[in-house]
């Protein structure tokens, strides 16, 4: 069993956090289903001091209706409905599947400065992953690899190669609690210790699950310092 060697302390979200990875746009993916639940989640996050949330619904072959146009329409509906909420921005989490290359012909939903959140299957990489990321960067985007600690096939040298190419790595905060399992937890701890992450997100899907995970969040003092650094990077994206 993996055990933290450092003393851990009860942690909270960074003050005035900008969350760059969330699934709170209702009824579009495996995240929150209803507008009512989305509004409740946004009100709660506002209460605990979250300053800004980037909504990043999945865009993938299995969700053909998740076009930028449809997601923008749903986003405007959410903004009009939620009277109390953090500042909201719309991007997307793109699955690097067989259909992704076609999407490069159109404008992608991104964070500022064309930072684009991307993911793969947890177990196997897509064919030609290095080429896909290269083409994405060649098109003027900055790839942000969502929760790299969750990819079983990725080894330390692969993370290093991504950093050499100036791709960005985004930590799922609750990977540090073991929420996704012991192996992602160990990898997250190692990547954080070695300063390889650039950003941090919650990857929130459901409010109650998020609240339970937050209750279990315990970090060492050095980990807390690193999370604050990543949070500052999040904020700088939207400055």
């Amino acid at each position: 069993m993996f055990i933290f060697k450092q003393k851990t302390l009860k942690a909270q979200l960074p003050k005035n956090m900008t969350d760059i990875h969330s699934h709170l746009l209702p009824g579009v993916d495996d995240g929150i289903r209803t507008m009512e639940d989305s509004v409740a989640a946004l009100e709660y996050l506002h209460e605990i001091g979250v300053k800004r949330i980037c909504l990043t619904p999945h865009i993938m072959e299995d969700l053909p209706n998740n076009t930028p146009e449809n997601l923008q329409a749903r986003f405007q509906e959410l903004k009009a409905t939620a009277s109390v909420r953090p500042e909201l921005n719309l991007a997307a989490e793109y699955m690097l599947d067989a259909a992704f290359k076609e999407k490069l012909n159109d404008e992608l939903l991104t964070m500022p400065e064309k930072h684009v959140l991307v993911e793969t299957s947890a177990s196997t990489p897509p064919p030609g992953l290095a080429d896909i990321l290269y083409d994405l960067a060649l098109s003027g985007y900055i790839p942000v690899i969502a929760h790299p600690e969750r990819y079983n096939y990725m080894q330390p040298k692969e993370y290093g190669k991504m950093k050499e190419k100036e791709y960005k790595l985004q930590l799922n905060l609750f990977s540090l609690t073991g929420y996704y399992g012991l192996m992602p937890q160990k990898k997250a701890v190692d990547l954080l210790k070695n300063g390889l992450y650039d950003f941090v997100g919650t990857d929130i899907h459901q409010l109650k699950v998020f609240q339970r995970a937050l209750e279990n969040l315990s970090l060492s003092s050095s980990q807390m310092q690193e999370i604050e650094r990543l949070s500052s990077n999040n904020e700088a994206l939207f400055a």
Side-chain angles (χ1 to χ4, degrees):
M1 179 179 290
F2 176 70
I3 301 174
F4 287 114
K5 294 182 179 180
Q6 292 179 287
K7 180 180 179 181
T8 56
L9 304 171
K10 185 72 176 71
Q12 297 178 329
L13 295 182
K15 186 177 181 181
N16 296 320
M17 181 180 183
T18 290
D19 188 359
I20 69 165
H21 189 168
S22 70
H23 294 272
L24 298 180
L25 194 64
V28 298
D29 59 13
D30 60 343
I32 281 188
R33 302 303 305 163
T34 69
M35 185 67 70
E36 181 182 14
D37 286 345
S38 184
V39 169
L42 292 174
E43 290 177 348
Y44 171 79
L45 293 168
H46 176 77
E47 289 175 3
I48 65 172
V50 175
K51 175 182 178 179
R52 182 186 293 109
I53 298 175
C54 194
L55 305 176
T56 53
H58 291 290
I59 291 184
M60 58 176 64
E61 279 186 300
D62 294 342
L63 296 171
N65 291 328
N66 277 10
T67 63
E69 295 76 17
N70 288 345
L71 294 174
Q72 284 282 6
R74 190 61 164 161
F75 177 60
Q76 295 302 324
E77 184 181 356
L78 175 60
K79 288 203 299 181
T81 303
S83 58
V84 177
R85 54 176 170 76
E87 176 188 320
L88 298 181
N89 293 265
L90 179 65
E93 182 181 14
Y94 286 89
M95 176 64 73
L96 300 181
D97 53 27
F100 178 74
K101 187 170 289 188
E102 297 177 7
K103 295 180 175 65
L104 284 178
N105 297 325
D106 302 312
E107 194 73 17
L108 302 181
L109 289 175
T110 73
M111 293 177 282
E113 299 180 7
K114 303 190 80 169
H115 286 75
V116 58
L117 193 66
V118 298
E119 67 171 341
T120 77
S121 161
S123 57
T124 56
L129 174 59
D131 291 336
I132 295 173
L133 292 173
Y134 176 77
D135 289 343
L136 183 59
L138 198 63
S139 298
Y141 296 98
I142 300 174
V144 179
I145 315 302
H147 42 65
E149 68 277 1
R150 292 176 59 188
Y151 304 131
N152 299 329
Y153 63 87
M154 282 193 183
Q155 302 301 319
K157 64 179 181 179
E158 293 173 273
Y159 300 123
K161 288 181 180 179
M162 288 183 176
K163 295 294 293 183
E164 289 175 4
K165 297 180 183 296
E166 298 186 351
Y167 304 154
K168 309 299 182 181
L169 304 184
Q170 175 253 306
L171 166 68
N172 265 18
L173 181 61
F174 299 124
S175 291
L176 296 170
T177 71
Y179 176 78
Y180 302 99
L182 290 177
M183 184 56 68
Q185 182 186 28
K186 183 181 187 306
K187 292 174 78 173
V189 170
D190 290 343
L191 289 168
L192 190 66
K193 180 180 179 181
N194 291 315
L196 292 178
Y197 285 116
D198 300 279
F199 303 111
V200 60
T202 66
D203 199 0
I204 178 174
H205 280 64
Q206 303 294 335
L207 178 57
K208 289 184 179 179
V209 175
F210 170 87
Q211 289 171 322
R212 288 197 297 270
L214 188 57
E215 289 175 358
N216 292 325
L217 183 62
S218 297
L219 305 174
S220 69
S221 58
S222 61
Q223 288 172 334
M224 290 181 184
Q225 290 176 0
E226 274 295 288
I227 296 301
E228 289 292 344
R229 178 183 69 83
L230 301 181
S231 184
S232 295
N233 290 348
N234 288 10
E235 175 67 19
L237 265 183
F238 292 86

